[in-house]
Each structure stands twice: as C-alpha cells, then as structure tokens.
Amino acid sequence: MPLSPARMPATGVRRLTATLYSYAFLDDFILLYPVYALLFSDTGLPTWQISSLFALWSVTGAALEVPTGAWADAVSRRLLLSLGPLLTAAGFALWVLIPSYGAFALGFVLWGAGGALGSGALEALVYDELGRLGAAGRYAHVMGRVRAAGLVGVVAAMALAGPVFALGGYPAVGAGSVLSCLLAAATATRLPERRTPVARSEGWATTLRAGLADARADRSVRGALMLIPAVGAVWGALDEYTPLLVRGTGVPDGTVPYLLLLIWAGATTGGLLTGACARLGRSGLATLLAGAALALAAGAVLRTPAGLLLVALAFGGFQLATVLADARLQARIGDGRRATLTSVASLGTDVATVVVYGAYGAVSSATPHATAFAWAALPYLVTALILKARG
C-alpha cells in the first residue's frame, strides 16, 4: 500500500532521527574515554607531556573548525560525517598499536580533525533535511535527543570499559573504540542528504567569506552566534572538573563514578526536554540560564552529595539552553552558509572554553573546587541579564 503524502514526511522524519540517534550513540561510545589518560601515564609520559597532548587536541580542533564548516557547505555534509569517525578510528588504533608520545600526538591530531569535520556539518544537515520534510520546527526536539543519545553512549562506555579492560587491557578497549567509530562512519552513510552543494568553482574559502559577510550584515545572526559560546563554553569546561568537585564532598573514591553518573543523567534529561521547551523566547531562555546558574552555585557550595542533585539540575538546564541557542542560530541563517556559520559559533565556544580553563585554574589554585564552581555561575547570570534587558 503506497504511503499518502501526509504520511511520507512523518516516515522520513522517523528514518532520519533513527539514523541520527544511532550515529550519535556510536560516535560517543568510546571505551577509551575513561582510561586513555591511564594509558598515557602507564606508557611513561610525565604530566606536562599529557597536558601538551590535550592542548594539541584543542588547537587542532579550533584551527580546523571553520575551514571544515565551510567545506561542508561546499561539498557533501554526509561525506564529512562519514570521514570524521574514520580519522578518529585511525588515531585510536595508533594509540594501542604504537603507544608512544609521537603516536599519541598524531592520534589527537586525527581525533581533532575528525571532530572538526562533523562540527557544523551535523547541525546543518539535520536542519535542512527537517526543513525539506516540513518539520523544521522539530529541530530543537531532535537535536536535544541527539545530544542525549551521545551522553548515553558516554555513560555506556564508562560502564563497560572496566569489564572489557579487565578481560583484554588497552588493546581490548582500543579495539572496541575503533569498532564503534567504524560503525558510526557506516551509519553516517545512511543519513539522507537532498541538497545541492555550493558550486565547486566557489570553493570553501569563498563560502567562508560569504558566510562571514552574512553574519556582519545581520544583527540577529551576530547575536545568535555570540549566544552559543556564552551558553556552552562554561559548563562544557566545568565537565572536566566534576570528578574533583565530587571528591570534594568527602565521598570515597569508589563512589565518585556513581555520583558522576547522576550529573550525566541531569545533562541527558535536559537534552530530552528540548521538545517541550522549544518555544521558549528570549525572556524564557534568560530565566532558564539564571535558574541553572543559581542551582550550580548552591549545589557546589553545599559540598555534600545531596548538593550534587542541584549540580545535575544545573547541567540539565545548561544542556537544554545549549540546544535552544543552536536552534535560534539555525533559524536565522540560510542553507548555503549553515555549516559555515555553525562552525564559527563552535570556534567561539572552543576559544571561550580555553579561557574558562585558564580562569578555573587560577581560581581553583587559591580556593576549593566548590568555590570555583560557584564563581563559574556568574557568567550565566550576566548572560541572563543581557537577554532579559534586550527582551
């Protein structure tokens, strides 16, 4: 029985989202996540070399963020989403086959490049395909679930990494990570893409210049671009320090992973709520940010396991606000420059995150981690006040 025109878009949305959620889960189902720092240490790397690897990773992603976004507008976005996990898989394979500083460095370069290929391309592909199916209004709902699927992948990897490592050590978790990346690449090839890329004669550099010109000419686009790093950078950086915050509550080290899962559950729930909150206006977004900021500060200064419930609530609010800010940007930019400008926003987030790392290091060197987390709520209160004033 042929599908009616009304049912065809609904079927297309279901196929798109099922593929997206699988892709997001596999892309983050990396068994190496909880143990790669241990791999570096066990190989004999001192702390300064491990830190230099993290810096190389960040610099690679930031340097390639915007060029790859422009490239995604000039060629196939689906192609870039397939290539990204393949580069990451190659990096992980190097780590376990040739464990050395050089191999780790090259692996981080490949991982950074793979992440940059998908940044901007994913959001652009999803928004355009939903638009073609007459469901652009569901973008925030869909992307919230995409982020949640990725977080579930991280949690599942954390849960399975221990048993797999016990069975086969670093080669086993490395092989599992490579397999997940290969499956993610294969899944990306099944994503629909019915757009016509920018003419090849223009190239990615021309696409980039045109996208930046659009941003300069449209005040609403500039505002949406700045909102994304203002919302995403601080809590994205704080995530790296949550184990230290949890340990500061006085719980045994063996309990820390379970309380971290509580915080991850809060962020996942925030992603799942985006559909219900997709129509929040500027004033509503300001209230959301202010409430999450207050929950973060209050939960941190309590320095108790019960206070982590408030931190989890705050992370859920920040995750929700991050997806809503992305949806605001997507609604304001054209198809031909979508990946380019999304990557510009991601670059802003990367740069702001590095600034947050520096500021957090300075504050936490003189105060407890709980105090540093409380201070981190201040930028969100400022952003909320600016949004409220403009509203």
Side-chain angles (χ1 to χ4, degrees):
M1 178 180 178
L3 292 174
S4 66
R7 291 182 61 189
M8 289 178 65
T11 301
V13 170
R14 285 195 296 270
R15 289 175 179 171
L16 169 64
T17 53
T19 307
L20 277 172
Y21 302 154
S22 299
Y23 176 81
F25 176 88
L26 291 167
D27 197 42
D28 276 322
F29 183 65
I30 306 300
L31 298 181
L32 275 167
Y33 275 164
V35 299
Y36 65 72
L38 302 179
L39 170 61
F40 303 156
S41 179
D42 290 346
T43 305
L45 269 60
T47 302
W48 71 267
Q49 283 190 324
I50 296 175
S51 298
S52 71
L53 291 174
F54 292 153
L56 178 63
W57 184 23
S58 299
V59 169
T60 301
L64 297 178
E65 188 80 55
V66 176
T68 55
W71 192 25
D73 282 331
V75 296
S76 167
R77 293 163 181 167
R78 179 174 57 196
L79 172 64
L80 269 61
L81 290 171
S82 301
L83 289 176
L86 294 179
L87 293 180
T88 304
F92 292 156
L94 280 174
W95 286 3
V96 295
L97 292 175
I98 320 171
S100 61
Y101 181 80
F104 296 150
L106 180 56
F108 268 122
V109 169
L110 291 170
W111 192 2
L117 286 174
S119 178
L122 178 65
E123 294 86 349
L125 183 146
V126 174
Y127 192 92
D128 287 350
E129 291 305 315
L130 286 174
R132 283 170 175 75
L133 293 168
R138 295 191 60 190
Y139 175 80
H141 172 79
V142 170
M143 287 306 296
R145 291 179 177 268
V146 168
R147 304 303 181 201
L151 291 174
V152 170
V154 172
V155 171
M158 292 172 64
L160 288 177
V164 173
F165 183 81
L167 288 173
Y170 293 118
V173 293
S177 301
V178 169
L179 177 60
S180 184
C181 290
L182 295 178
L183 290 174
T187 303
T189 63
R190 302 186 62 82
L191 288 168
E193 185 177 26
R194 290 180 291 274
R195 64 182 284 273
T196 301
V198 176
R200 291 183 180 274
S201 59
E202 291 188 19
W204 70 265
T206 302
T207 304
L208 174 58
R209 288 194 294 270
L212 294 177
D214 290 347
R216 288 193 297 269
D218 191 328
R219 181 179 178 182
S220 68
V221 172
R222 292 199 305 274
L225 281 171
M226 291 186 290
L227 181 62
I228 288 180
V231 171
V234 176
W235 82 275
L238 289 180
D239 173 60
E240 302 295 336
Y241 303 101
T242 49
L244 301 174
L245 177 70
V246 173
R247 176 186 282 176
T249 63
V251 299
D253 284 353
T255 309
V256 170
Y258 300 106
L259 292 176
L260 287 176
L261 288 178
L262 172 66
I263 296 176
W264 280 101
T268 303
T269 303
L272 294 174
L273 289 174
T274 50
C277 302
R279 296 186 180 277
L280 277 181
R282 183 181 294 161
S283 180
L285 185 58
T287 301
L288 173 64
L289 286 174
L294 294 174
L296 176 67
V301 298
L302 284 176
R303 302 186 190 183
T304 64
L308 296 177
L309 287 170
L310 289 174
V311 176
L313 178 64
F315 271 50
F318 295 142
Q319 175 73 288
L320 172 59
T322 300
V323 178
L324 294 180
D326 173 48
R328 290 170 66 88
L329 175 63
Q330 301 303 329
R332 286 164 171 74
I333 53 182
D335 293 356
R337 320 298 181 202
R338 190 174 305 284
T340 301
L341 292 179
T342 303
S343 292
V344 170
S346 296
L347 175 61
T349 301
D350 291 341
V351 173
T353 300
V354 173
V355 173
V356 175
Y357 284 146
Y360 187 95
V363 173
S364 62
S365 64
T367 65
H369 289 284
T371 304
F373 266 71
W375 275 107
L378 184 59
Y380 285 114
L381 292 175
V382 173
T383 301
L385 287 173
I386 293 173
L387 285 172
K388 195 73 174 178
R390 292 185 63 185

